[in-house]
Amino acid sequence: KKQGKDQFAIFEPVMRESFQKHLQMEADLRRAVLQHEFELRFQPIVRLSTKEISGLEALVRWQHPERGMIPPLEFIPLAEETGLIVPIGEWVLREACRQAALWNTYREGQTPLTVSVNLSAVQLERTDLPQLVASALADSGLPARSLIIELTESLLVDHRPETLHRLEEIKRLGVRLAIDDFGTGYSSLAYLRKFPVDIIKIDKSFVDDIGDLPAAAALTLGIIQLGQALQLSTVAEGIEHLEQLSELADGNCELGQGYYFAEPLTADAMHHLLVTGAPPPEMVGGKSERAG
Ligand code: C2E
Ligand code: MG
Ligand code: MG
Ligand code: MG
């Protein structure tokens, strides 16, 4: 009994502290939704055969008034737990569509850019998701064909029957679906048949090991061929080195994204890149998200 009491004395302050931190973070996140403290970054997705920008992935950031920029992996789980991902995700979707539609007006005559938006399982549980997507497209004027919704494997594995219907409804609008982080989840192949997927995003962990592990290169090429056989587009994530790019391009991977091309950029920096073809001067060797 005595020992039990000692243990309680040891653990209690730690637990209380982490509980308070959690509560504080939740309160902060609620305020963030009301005060619009979120921003988007845009990372180019490049056609490997021509090196042209084919589209952009929208990635959310939280600009916390005291703590500065908070990356998504540090608040998305809490946002999902509290349901706050619903308003946050709606803002991300609308803002991404608005921005992409605007950029496409500067690109008349060129192939329109696509914009990819990450969706969490909690958003997919909402019966009004297809209406939300339709409304984001209508309000922004972005053609459905230019929107790509990214879903993770785990989301598809744990799906409910309604999820499939909801995805089919979204597909009927003309929106395309991508599987994010492909190869990291379970039963990847089974749900490729079941879900109306258009694009496979090969997880960065495969790309990382190209050049170091022959097995990683073989697996990556295998996924690309699988994609081709199923007439799906393939996107390699997290390309950082020329060697990886060469291997992927030789293997006929269609698209790629990664720091080798560009890190996620602010809307201003992306605008500059799209208009001039070069990142703004302050980006070159200057302050980047990674350094900060
Ligand atoms: P993701 O969708 O797989 O996005 C790719 C992540 O890899 C991004 O991290 C991006 O910055 C990073 N990345 C891209 N190229 C490279 C590279 O060459 N090297 C390295 N080391 N990293 C690279 P980020 O922005 O921190 O986002 C992390 C994850 O958070 C995303 O992974 C996505 O799952 C989630 N996320 C981001 N935005 C949203 C959102 O609006 N809604 C939801 N539900 N999830 C989001
Ligand atoms: Mg993604
Ligand atoms: Mg990914
Ligand atoms: Mg990821």
Side-chain angles (χ1 to χ4, degrees), residues 16-211:
R16 192 196 296 141
E17 196 191 327
S18 89
F19 183 63
Q20 279 170 348
K21 257 193 195 155
H22 191 90
L23 282 184
Q24 182 63 51
M25 179 92 161
E26 187 177 331
D28 283 5
L29 198 57
R30 284 186 196 286
R31 185 209 52 221
V33 171
L34 294 174
Q35 315 225 324
H36 310 287
E37 292 172 13
F38 301 99
E39 286 181 22
L40 289 185
R41 297 290 179 268
F42 297 90
Q43 188 176 34
I45 299 175
V46 176
R47 185 162 301 282
L48 298 189
S49 57
T50 60
K51 305 290 183 293
E52 278 168 344
I53 298 180
S54 144
L56 315 167
E57 180 172 2
L59 296 156
V60 72
R61 303 287 181 264
W62 177 8
Q63 185 61 60
H64 191 287
E66 286 116 39
R67 293 172 55 197
M69 195 63 89
I70 304 182
L73 294 178
E74 285 176 33
F75 69 89
I76 296 279
L78 179 62
E80 289 174 338
E81 212 178 285
T82 54
L84 289 168
I85 192 68
V86 172
I88 296 170
E90 172 168 353
W91 177 81
V92 168
L93 177 67
R94 290 184 178 281
E95 180 62 11
C97 290
R98 186 193 68 81
Q99 194 60 260
L102 180 66
W103 281 326
N104 278 331
T105 63
Y106 298 108
R107 290 168 59 88
E108 259 181 81
Q110 301 177 63
T111 318
L113 294 171
T114 61
V115 67
S116 301
V117 175
N118 295 281
L119 223 67
S120 87
V122 179
Q123 291 172 273
L124 215 64
E125 281 166 18
R126 304 272 303 195
T127 51
D128 58 357
L129 182 69
Q131 288 93 303
L132 170 62
V133 173
S135 146
L137 291 170
D139 291 352
S140 64
L142 187 75
R145 183 84 198 143
S146 299
L147 177 62
I148 297 167
I149 300 274
E150 296 194 0
L151 310 161
T152 57
E153 291 187 312
S154 54
L155 187 153
L156 298 182
V157 173
D158 305 331
H159 79 281
R160 308 193 202 170
E162 311 89 75
T163 307
L164 183 56
H165 297 145
R166 211 114 65 215
L167 289 176
E168 280 164 349
E169 227 180 300
I170 291 172
K171 283 275 300 191
R172 275 198 294 275
L173 298 170
V175 173
R176 283 177 289 170
L177 302 182
I179 298 191
D180 209 345
D181 307 340
F182 186 83
T184 56
Y186 301 102
S187 64
S188 312
L189 302 182
Y191 62 67
L192 274 184
R193 265 200 330 197
K194 191 156 176 186
F195 287 97
V197 167
D198 305 277
I199 299 156
I200 296 176
K201 297 192 78 174
I202 305 169
D203 190 66
K204 178 180 187 307
S205 57
F206 294 97
V207 176
D208 278 345
D209 293 337
I210 293 177

